[in-house]
Amino acid sequence: MSHWRCYGKPSEAFTHRQSCAVVMCRNPIEEGGRVQKEVLEGMKALGMVGDASWYILPLCRECNRKQGATLTVDDGCGLASVRAEETCGLRLGEAEPSRSA
């Protein structure tokens, strides 16, 4: 969740909602979930590349456990890229270096 809080850019409406990013789910946010955008078959057929990148977004525990499922998420949830070069510079699971004053 700390990665999403730093690098996700949710809409004001989503911020006030304070519930899971999955549309129609109103459970409270409990954890950050890793999700991959789906490239639709119709896009492939038209020669469009699409974005199959991985992102972190705020989910409830129940929705985060739906591995392999297609989830429709709120457009304003503020996806945070897991790609270190686009955000914090750290690899997944790597701790931020301690800072001395």
Side-chain angles (χ1 to χ4, degrees):
M1 282 301 298
S2 60
H3 184 81
W4 177 79
R5 284 187 190 103
C6 288
Y7 303 104
K9 295 186 177 24
S11 68
E12 189 173 328
F14 183 82
T15 302
H16 290 306
R17 181 176 126 177
Q18 296 186 5
S19 61
C20 180
V22 175
V23 172
M24 302 303 290
C25 180
R26 293 295 177 240
N27 293 334
I29 296 168
E30 297 175 273
E31 51 200 30
R34 291 178 52 207
V35 297
Q36 184 179 29
K37 281 192 174 181
E38 183 176 43
V39 178
L40 303 174
E41 290 301 319
M43 292 176 72
K44 290 180 190 176
L46 294 172
M48 300 170 75
V49 177
D51 177 9
S53 300
W54 286 88
Y55 295 89
I56 295 175
L57 69 157
L59 298 173
C60 68
R61 191 165 285 118
E62 182 181 335
C63 289
N64 198 25
R65 300 295 180 264
K66 296 179 180 177
Q67 294 183 357
T70 298
L71 304 173
T72 302
V73 299
D74 186 302
D75 287 337
C77 69
L79 299 173
S81 175
V82 299
R83 294 175 51 111
E85 60 273 14
E86 294 177 12
T87 56
C88 61
L90 301 174
R91 290 186 298 266
L92 190 62
E94 185 177 37
E96 202 169 331
S98 60
R99 299 179 187 157
S100 358

